[in-house]
Amino acid sequence: MFSTKDIYMKACMQSKELHAMTDEERTRLQEHLRKMYLEIEKVCDRHNLRMCTGYGTVLGAIRHKGFIPWDDDMDLLMPREDYDKLINLYAEELPKNLKIYAPNSKNGPITRFAKIVDVNTRFFGPGATDNESHGIFIDIFPLEGTSGNSVAIWLKHKVSCFLMLVASSVMEYEASKQDNLYKRLMCSTKKGTITYKTRHEIGRMFSFFNSKKWLNIVENYTKCSKVKAGYSVPIGGSDIKYFKPISPSIYYPAHKVCFDNIEVYVPNQPERHCELEYGDWKWIPPVEDRWQHFLKEIRF
């Protein structure tokens, strides 16, 4: 009931208030993201911070030698200790137009993981307001230490999912007071209406803390710098696979590969990373199954 991705995507495709990103917009966006990545890499290399691309960005690197043709974002992975150093010690070394928004940080969170945003751009979707945090962005996911105890993993999964549900529901509850487009999109179907109203009520019930406070709570519960059995990415999603330990050797030492007209860091075992995340990563999904952003406006 609480997964909104498929409902939201179908509603966006039918909305006259949004547009799917054009090929020209995507080409310009991908070029902009590559430039942003290089600035982040400079800071990480300067301070020996471990960083590599992750998820769809790695998939694009090893399958397409660059961006997946229909992709429009970049994902990075960093061990918790390096992730914290970038956010709390070295963020000011990025160009002034690049700001980090993350839980328990100077600028506060946008979502449950860090986003580096080019505040001189605008990237507006449903619920977005005209402020600097809604610009072109790169996501950074922290790799948390985890144990191999199955009971501990099960408990962390259940509690984390509950906290993430509360935080996202409060975010949607707050956004509903400013923008009705998201509500109209979700409520365009019966299933979407049920999901929206349920999440709206959860958000109202837990709005005694604002969404930023809840996002801080999520991070405080999920973070762990001690690597016992391996790495996990508990803020990566609700699937229990994000809570199970993965050998650090899959991620580091990272190495560089060609990515369109630049080089990027990929995990030490990029094929294994993609296999764990996507299964048969060589399979090309049909057009109707390709995730994309739907926008009110994009400005470079």
Side-chain angles (χ1 to χ4, degrees):
M1 177 183 293
F2 302 120
S3 177
T4 62
K5 185 175 180 178
D6 291 339
I7 300 170
Y8 172 76
M9 174 69 99
K10 291 177 182 178
C12 285
M13 292 174 68
Q14 298 172 2
S15 174
K16 296 181 180 179
E17 299 175 75
L18 301 170
H19 75 274
M21 192 174 295
T22 66
D23 290 341
E24 180 183 357
E25 289 172 335
R26 186 175 295 105
T27 297
R28 291 188 65 188
L29 175 60
Q30 290 175 349
E31 177 61 26
H32 200 91
L33 290 170
R34 287 192 292 269
K35 291 178 181 178
M36 289 176 63
Y37 168 84
L38 291 175
E39 295 296 340
I40 299 167
E41 183 189 274
K42 287 179 188 177
V43 176
C44 290
D45 283 352
R46 186 181 304 140
H47 297 286
N48 297 313
L49 302 180
R50 291 165 293 174
M51 178 272 287
C52 64
T53 53
Y55 307 121
T57 311
V58 177
L59 182 60
I62 64 173
R63 194 172 71 189
H64 303 275
K65 308 302 180 184
F67 274 106
I68 296 172
W70 57 90
D71 202 5
D72 51 23
D73 62 10
M74 287 190 81
D75 298 319
L76 306 181
L77 297 169
M78 298 184 74
R80 166 56 68 175
E81 58 181 316
D82 298 301
Y83 175 92
D84 284 346
K85 287 177 182 178
L86 176 63
I87 293 168
N88 299 316
L89 298 179
Y90 306 124
E92 299 301 320
E93 295 186 20
L94 291 167
K96 293 188 181 299
N97 60 303
L98 300 184
K99 289 189 177 182
I100 302 180
Y101 294 87
N104 296 301
S105 70
K106 174 184 175 182
N107 296 321
I110 299 174
T111 186
R112 58 186 183 272
F113 44 81
K115 284 181 176 285
I116 296 186
V117 178
D118 184 342
V119 298
N120 289 345
T121 65
R122 293 295 179 265
F123 193 90
F124 295 147
T129 54
D130 192 2
N131 65 66
E132 67 176 20
S133 68
H134 291 289
I136 295 171
F137 61 88
I138 289 178
D139 293 332
I140 308 182
F141 295 86
L143 295 168
E144 309 286 6
T146 185
S147 74
N149 185 290
S150 59
V151 175
I153 291 171
W154 178 87
L155 179 62
K156 190 161 192 175
H157 172 241
K158 296 302 180 185
V159 175
S160 298
C161 287
F162 171 75
L163 293 175
M164 288 189 287
L165 169 62
V166 169
S168 61
S169 296
V170 173
M171 287 178 67
E172 291 174 19
Y173 177 73
E174 292 171 348
S176 68
K177 300 177 182 179
Q178 303 176 27
D179 181 18
N180 289 322
L181 176 55
Y182 180 76
K183 179 180 179 179
R184 293 197 298 274
L185 290 171
M186 289 297 295
C187 294
S188 61
T189 64
K190 182 178 180 180
K191 185 177 180 180
T193 300
I194 294 171
T195 301
Y196 176 85
K197 288 184 177 180
T198 302
R199 293 176 66 95
H200 186 82
E201 184 60 22
I202 293 171
R204 186 192 65 78
M205 288 171 57
F206 288 93
S207 61
F208 50 85
F209 290 149
N210 64 29
S211 59
K212 291 186 177 182
K213 174 68 173 177
W214 279 112
L215 290 169
N216 290 341
I217 292 172
V218 170
E219 175 174 85
N220 291 336
Y221 180 75
T222 58
K223 69 186 297 185
C224 179
S225 58
K226 292 184 179 180
V227 182
K228 295 180 180 179
Y231 286 132
S232 65
V233 192
I235 50 80
S238 60
D239 195 309
I240 197 168
K241 71 180 181 181
Y242 292 112
F243 295 79
K244 294 181 178 180
I246 298 174
S247 172
S249 65
I250 289 179
Y251 298 106
Y252 300 103
H255 62 276
K256 283 191 170 182
V257 300
C258 178
F259 191 84
D260 294 328
N261 59 346
I262 66 170
E263 290 187 330
V264 300
Y265 283 111
V266 297
N268 182 43
Q269 301 176 40
E271 293 87 357
R272 180 59 177 153
H273 170 69
C274 289
E275 182 183 335
L276 289 170
E277 185 63 25
Y278 303 109
D280 181 8
W281 56 269
K282 295 181 180 179
W283 176 73
I284 306 292
V287 174
E288 62 270 18
D289 291 336
R290 298 173 184 176
W291 170 259
Q292 60 180 313
H293 286 101
F294 287 82
L295 303 172
K296 289 182 180 178
E297 180 184 8
I298 183 170
R299 298 204 304 265
F300 296 92

